[in-house]
Amino acid sequence: MAQAPATHDSDTYFVPHQSKWPLFASVALFVTMFGLAGWFNDSAWGQVTFFVGVAGLCAILFKWFADVILESVSGYYNKRVDGSFRMGMVWFIFSEIMFFGAFFGALFYARTLALPWLGGEGSGMATNEVLWGGFSAAWPSAGPGDVGGGFQTIPAWGLPLLNTLLLLASGVTITIAHHALKAGHRLQLLWFLGATIALGCIFLFFQIEEYIHAYRDLNLTLGSGIYGSTFFMLTGFHGAHVTLGTIMLIVIWFRCLKGHFTRENHFAFEAVAWYWHFVDVVWLILFLFVYVV
């Protein structure tokens, strides 16, 4: 843990002393990826090495974040540091927008450009006649090769709609919790932040149920051609983001319980709230273009 500087004022940008955590995290990441490579190549040591690396990385991140929290509650971070944190979070969310934009772009390309061309529209007539005669460019589709065999899709107005309502409700509860924090209503803050966590967990439970139903009953898998690939890449990565967001909300809940935040100084809470609202918006777009349209 970095020690407090000898003098500290509002114009000084706090820079911690040299930390061991970046080096340790790099080693843990190397062990993780080395183990994953061995696991993929059926090495006997690969799986064990992978999980050792993951466990080590989790422990390092726990200690690293604990140091950052301690620096924050110790008063090392002034408005200049807070501003850099806000810019960092803005750019991080922007990178996440680009990440999901790539997958939505793949979905758009497959549906709007590739499938019609393979089905013979426009200049693709010769391709359809010579290579894929009889292929109809209808969506959803596993592609002209019928990769993965026949499958059924998941109706939008079942679990997907329920999950949409759950995430919309969670956006309301975290907003109420934020207002409670700024008003100094600690009990209300804890209740509504806890409700947001519960809604996130319920969303993930229903997402798992949906995946089980898709694989077991509908033959809809990651290998079900272009539809299965885009469906599981989009919903799967979104589920991973909901999982990460829920973990962050749990950490923030315990920090609120310990009284780490004030009405004026609570950017960690705001950062997680921004992230959660981003996850909500991505799901609304996903629900519309993957399940409904």
Side-chain angles (χ1 to χ4, degrees):
M1 173 59 200
Q3 300 298 317
T7 59
H8 181 70
D9 55 56
S10 59
D11 293 327
T12 301
Y13 191 95
F14 172 71
V15 178
H17 296 290
Q18 292 182 355
S19 172
K20 57 185 176 296
W21 301 126
L23 175 61
F24 288 175
S26 299
V27 173
L29 278 171
F30 176 81
V31 172
T32 301
M33 299 310 298
F34 188 71
L36 185 64
W39 190 1
F40 283 173
N41 287 279
D42 297 323
S43 299
W45 46 266
Q47 186 174 356
V48 174
T49 305
F50 170 77
F51 284 111
V52 168
V54 169
L57 182 61
C58 289
I60 291 165
L61 291 177
F62 180 86
K63 288 293 296 178
W64 195 349
F65 291 166
D67 281 2
V68 174
I69 291 172
L70 185 57
E71 291 169 357
S72 177
V73 298
S74 298
Y76 293 123
Y77 299 158
N78 55 26
K79 289 185 177 180
R80 292 184 63 190
V81 178
D82 182 80
S84 68
F85 285 166
R86 291 176 185 275
M87 287 301 299
M89 194 64 190
V90 167
W91 282 111
F92 170 69
I93 292 178
F94 177 76
S95 73
E96 293 287 87
I97 292 172
M98 294 296 100
F99 177 84
F100 278 100
F103 290 113
F104 280 113
L107 178 65
F108 172 81
Y109 180 86
R111 292 182 59 173
T112 308
L113 299 175
L115 275 181
W117 181 71
L118 292 172
E121 291 187 15
S123 61
M125 182 175 62
T127 301
N128 179 260
E129 291 180 356
V130 175
L131 297 179
W132 307 110
F135 172 68
S136 177
W139 188 265
S141 172
D146 197 26
V147 179
F151 62 87
Q152 300 178 51
T153 60
I154 296 173
W157 311 115
L159 282 181
L161 176 60
L162 178 59
N163 270 347
T164 301
L165 297 176
L166 288 170
L167 278 187
L168 288 174
S170 72
V172 174
T173 55
I174 196 171
T175 300
I176 296 174
H178 190 195
H179 284 292
L181 174 57
K182 291 193 290 186
H185 299 154
R186 186 179 179 189
L187 186 60
Q188 185 183 38
L189 162 65
L190 293 174
W191 272 107
F192 279 96
L193 188 56
T196 308
I197 295 169
L199 290 168
C201 291
I202 296 171
F203 174 92
L204 291 172
F205 172 79
F206 285 134
Q207 191 76 60
I208 293 171
E209 286 289 311
E210 181 179 289
Y211 276 14
I212 293 173
H213 174 58
Y215 266 76
R216 183 182 59 196
D217 304 321
L218 306 180
N219 193 39
L220 177 58
T221 70
L222 188 60
S224 297
I226 185 62
Y227 181 82
S229 298
T230 53
F231 175 84
F232 283 102
M233 290 297 283
L234 279 164
T235 59
F237 273 117
H238 179 268
H241 283 71
V242 173
T243 303
L244 178 60
T246 303
I247 293 171
M248 292 192 294
L249 286 170
I250 292 171
V251 173
I252 293 298
W253 189 90
F254 279 106
R255 292 193 63 187
C256 290
L257 182 65
K258 293 177 70 68
H260 283 183
F261 303 123
T262 65
R263 299 181 186 185
E264 298 79 17
N265 185 15
H266 54 266
F267 174 67
F269 182 100
E270 289 182 306
V272 176
W274 292 357
Y275 184 85
W276 195 255
H277 287 307
F278 162 75
V279 168
D280 289 350
V281 172
V282 170
W283 176 260
L284 289 175
I285 300 172
L286 192 155
F287 175 70
L288 178 62
F289 289 104
V290 174
Y291 289 100
V292 178
V293 180

